[in-house]
Amino acid sequence: MGALRFLLIIFGLWLGCEPAMAERRVALVIGNSAYKSVARLTNPANDATLVGGMFKKAGFDAVDIKLDLNVAEMRRALRDFGDKTKDAEVAVIYYAGHGIELDGINYLIPTDATLERDSDVLDETIALDRALFALDPAKKLRLIILDACRDNPFAKTMKRTIAARAIGRGLAKIEPTSPNTMIAFAAKAGSTASDGDSKNSPFAAALVERLPTPGLDLGKAFRFVRDDVLKNTGNKQEPYVYGSLGGDDVPLVAAKPVTTGPQASPDSEIRRDYELALQLGTREGWTAFLNRFPSGFYTDLAKGQLNKIAAEETRTAAADKARQAEEEKARLTADRAKKAEQDKAAAAAKAAEDARLAAEKAKQIEEAKAAAAEQRRKDAETAVAKALADKQAAEKALTDKIANDKAASEQAAKQAAEKRDDEQKVAAVAPTQSPPSLSPQETAKLVQSELRRVGCLTGAADGEWNAAAQRSLTLFNKHAGTKFDTKLASFDALDAIKGKQGRVCPLVCDRGSRADGDSCVKITCRAGYRVNDDNECEKVQDKKPVATREDAKPRDTERKKVESAPAKPSASGQMLCNAAGCRPVRPGCRVVDRPYSRAQAAPGGAQTEVCN
């Protein structure tokens, strides 16, 4: 029992060397799979269950796993979780499901959302800022993990209240304003993530592999996650982390202490004194030991050693007494003492011998007990040393595994980067070619169809890469910030155009029409107004009539008639001529000259008729 007790003490002290997790850690895990308005997602519920189990195994104080929440349930879950973060040092939210980006703001989509139009996003979803608000009270670390960058079916059917408003592909980049805050995306901003072909998404599988590594800083852990996902998706999906932490390592699971030998314990001094007393092997040494350490495992061992010494002293005394009795018996025999005295001496000698034999037997028993106790002590110490050695070997193996995994990941990333560089060099030298399965005309038709969808081409998608098609690709380059060669239809351009969810080129209407959504409608002005050159209604201005050459034609004709007709003299024989022609002066009147301008000149001069 003493050895067992010692072993338990040693193991208790060894386990007590583990660092106590004084900090409180809480996690909220949400997985939305069963959407009502779009197709069901296969993995989010599985991913949430897997990640929630990881947090529980990591020793989190509270882990809430919520599946298939509607908008009211999501708001309630965030509110309740916010109460738990008030006294927590570490708080984590994991969300798997659909997400959407609108005007640069990210939203999480509950299972009951319909999102018929873009304005419904504000009413039927949960803004990512609401989740950040729930994490704010945490003192040491605030972490959000979003496996919500999947291809969003809502964006394809959603009506736009403003034609130019585009719904982002994936989620938008975000920079947390609070310190010690990290937001991990399953895929880089503006790109989509894979739901996975197996039970769990590639992102979730990498998380549970890397994050629980004891002592591994979160920043490094997410870099390992990135490398794993890139490798498993053929470099198609790249996780990304926004935000930053301080200079100290922040592991999700604290590191276990690395030991180089048996750890010091309160029994180390007792053991040292015990071994010293064992080397002395005297009653005085054991008595001093027992006076200093009156109880404990080593005390019981010391008492056994003291009993062994006492048995030896008893045996020695009995042997001396037996020897003396035997000598007295021999003396009496030699002196031919009386028979009674010889018998008495013989009996005393026999009793002394019996006592000596008993003392010898007692000594052997005590020696056996002491030897057994000592062997148990050595066995216990050997077991502790072996356990510590096994622990060191396991920790060294873990450290080597982390180092090897890191080296392999860095090598894979280096090879991937070299491959991308080679592909870019080849792409820079050789023009983009269509796959062998499609002709240039078929490729051009696909590009034209996508250009029509984003509002850059108004003509038909006929497969002819003519001047109109080239102008449409030029417009796309201008408004999308790309630099594709407009002289040919390439698959690189096709992929880039497909990546745009909404209209890219602004709608241009002819004079007299205006844009209304994705179509042009005729401008109708009210009475008294007309469409001006700026394509706006303006009031019609009244103008005074201006005489023209046409107005003067009847007068010229009349004058010519007068001039050509034979003149009839008046009684005075005078004739009056002016711009209208010549006629006889009326009776009782005469002709007088008057000043005139050159413009009023007419045959006969500028004259007037004056009557009495």
Side-chain angles (χ1 to χ4, degrees):
M1 290 300 293
L4 179 59
R5 179 179 167 189
F6 167 74
L7 186 59
L8 293 176
I9 291 173
I10 294 298
F11 271 93
L13 292 171
W14 170 48
L15 295 175
C17 295
E18 298 290 335
M21 294 300 296
E23 61 185 17
R24 176 172 170 78
R25 300 179 297 167
V26 295
L28 172 62
V29 179
I30 300 175
N32 284 344
S33 287
Y35 284 91
K36 296 179 173 57
S37 300
V38 294
R40 176 186 176 89
L41 286 174
T42 304
N43 284 336
N46 298 334
D47 295 340
T49 303
L50 180 68
V51 174
M54 174 196 72
F55 287 130
K56 289 181 178 179
K57 291 179 181 178
F60 272 59
D61 298 278
V63 180
D64 297 331
I65 302 176
K66 308 287 186 179
L67 303 179
D68 297 327
L69 302 185
N70 59 35
V71 64
E73 291 168 340
M74 284 188 70
R75 290 196 179 102
R76 187 181 308 113
L78 289 170
R79 184 182 65 236
D80 295 342
F81 185 67
D83 294 336
K84 294 181 180 180
T85 62
K86 291 179 181 178
D87 58 348
E89 281 70 33
V90 176
V92 184
I93 292 178
Y94 171 85
Y95 173 79
H98 278 308
I100 194 169
E101 177 263 317
L102 179 68
D103 292 337
I105 300 176
N106 298 317
Y107 300 87
L108 310 181
I109 304 180
T111 56
D112 59 345
T114 57
L115 302 185
E116 295 179 353
R117 56 184 63 84
D118 52 10
S119 59
D120 293 342
V121 173
L122 304 177
D123 302 322
E124 300 179 2
T125 65
I126 304 296
L128 180 59
D129 286 345
R130 177 64 185 89
L132 284 169
F133 187 83
L135 292 177
D136 265 348
K139 302 173 183 64
K140 183 178 179 182
L141 171 65
R142 292 171 281 275
L143 173 62
I144 292 183
I145 305 174
L146 295 178
D147 195 357
C149 307
R150 295 167 172 84
D151 190 17
N152 186 0
F154 290 98
K156 299 177 181 178
T157 59
M158 186 185 300
K159 297 179 181 178
R160 274 58 161 185
T161 56
I162 299 177
R165 175 177 291 156
I167 306 299
R169 187 168 181 254
L171 298 179
K173 176 181 178 181
I174 183 171
E175 291 297 341
T177 56
S178 300
N180 297 326
T181 302
M182 292 180 66
I183 301 177
F185 284 6
K188 195 173 183 178
S191 59
T192 58
S194 171
D195 196 36
D197 298 327
S198 59
K199 183 179 179 181
N200 298 105
S201 72
F203 184 59
L207 287 175
V208 298
E209 175 70 20
R210 297 295 185 177
L211 262 60
T213 304
L216 182 61
D217 177 62
L218 278 177
K220 292 182 180 179
F222 278 111
R223 289 197 289 274
F224 288 146
V225 169
R226 168 191 173 276
D227 294 342
D228 291 347
V229 174
L230 280 171
K231 180 179 178 181
N232 293 332
T233 60
N235 293 326
K236 294 180 180 179
Q237 179 180 335
E238 180 183 6
Y240 213 81
V241 175
Y242 298 93
S244 61
L245 302 178
D248 296 334
D249 285 355
V250 181
L252 191 68
V253 178
K256 296 180 179 180
V258 178
T259 57
T260 58
Q263 300 297 300
S265 71
D267 281 350
S268 59
E269 183 180 2
I270 303 177
R271 176 184 175 183
R272 184 176 63 251
D273 289 351
Y274 173 85
E275 291 177 345
L276 180 59
L278 188 63
Q279 291 175 1
L280 293 174
T282 63
R283 174 180 287 276
E284 290 76 10
W286 290 119
T287 302
F289 179 87
L290 290 174
N291 290 336
R292 185 175 181 185
F293 304 107
S295 62
F297 173 70
Y298 285 99
T299 300
D300 293 340
L301 293 178
K303 289 179 179 179
Q305 293 291 337
L306 195 58
N307 291 337
K308 175 183 172 183
I309 292 175
E312 174 60 22
E313 291 175 346
T314 301
R315 184 199 67 79
T316 301
D320 289 343
K321 188 175 182 180
R323 178 178 56 78
Q324 292 173 3
E326 194 65 31
E327 289 177 351
E328 180 65 18
K329 175 182 175 183
R331 185 184 66 80
L332 290 175
T333 303
D335 292 344
R336 294 182 180 183
K338 294 181 180 179
K339 187 175 184 308
E341 292 177 351
Q342 291 182 7
D343 291 342
K344 183 178 178 182
K350 184 176 183 305
E353 182 63 18
D354 292 341
R356 184 188 69 78
L357 293 175
E360 185 70 28
K361 186 176 180 179
K363 173 194 170 185
Q364 292 174 357
I365 292 173
E366 292 300 329
E367 286 178 344
K369 288 181 179 179
E374 188 64 19
Q375 185 59 45
R376 287 195 297 271
R377 178 183 73 85
K378 292 179 180 179
D379 292 342
E381 290 174 352
T382 302
V384 172
K386 185 177 182 303
L388 292 176
D390 293 343
K391 181 182 178 184
Q392 293 174 33
E395 290 172 347
K396 184 177 183 302
L398 178 61
T399 303
D400 292 343
K401 182 179 182 300
I402 294 174
N404 293 335
D405 290 347
K406 181 180 179 181
S409 299
E410 290 176 349
Q411 181 64 23
K414 181 179 179 181
Q415 292 175 353
E418 292 174 350
K419 182 179 179 182
R420 287 196 299 270
D421 291 341
D422 293 341
E423 291 174 350
Q424 290 174 359
K425 291 178 182 178
V426 173
V429 174
T432 305
Q433 300 293 331
S434 302
S437 58
L438 294 179
S439 66
Q441 187 173 9
E442 291 172 331
T443 304
K445 189 172 183 179
L446 290 175
V447 175
Q448 287 174 325
S449 298
E450 289 300 316
L451 288 171
R452 280 180 57 85
R453 182 182 63 81
V454 297
C456 297
L457 177 66
T458 57
D462 54 8
E464 295 296 329
W465 196 251
N466 49 27
Q470 294 178 19
R471 285 195 300 272
S472 67
L473 183 54
T474 300
L475 283 174
F476 178 83
N477 284 338
K478 176 181 177 182
H479 294 286
T482 55
K483 295 181 180 180
F484 295 111
D485 185 2
T486 60
K487 294 181 181 179
L488 74 162
S490 66
F491 264 78
D492 287 342
L494 179 62
D495 291 341
I497 302 170
K498 282 184 175 181
K500 303 298 181 182
Q501 297 297 323
R503 173 179 287 276
V504 174
C505 298
L507 181 63
V508 180
C509 299
D510 296 334
R511 183 176 178 275
S513 300
R514 61 179 175 81
D516 184 11
D518 290 334
S519 60
C520 295
V521 297
K522 184 178 180 181
I523 298 176
T524 304
C525 299
R526 63 189 185 196
Y529 287 77
R530 64 181 181 85
V531 178
N532 61 13
D533 293 338
D534 294 330
N535 225 27
E536 298 177 349
C537 290
E538 70 174 9
K539 188 174 183 181
V540 178
Q541 300 293 332
D542 294 333
K543 297 183 180 180
K544 296 180 179 181
V546 179
T548 64
R549 183 65 184 167
E550 298 296 328
D551 298 332
K553 284 183 178 180
R555 188 173 61 183
D556 292 342
T557 303
E558 185 64 27
R559 179 176 59 78
K560 291 179 180 179
K561 288 181 180 180
V562 173
E563 291 176 349
S564 62
K568 295 182 179 180
S570 63
S572 62
Q574 291 181 321
M575 296 293 290
L576 174 64
C577 293
N578 54 25
C582 297
R583 64 175 178 81
V585 176
R586 291 176 293 177
C589 299
R590 68 181 186 279
V591 176
V592 296
D593 294 331
R594 61 180 175 79
Y596 65 97
S597 65
R598 183 166 184 166
Q600 295 171 325
Q607 300 176 331
T608 186
E609 186 179 41
V610 178
C611 301
N612 295 331

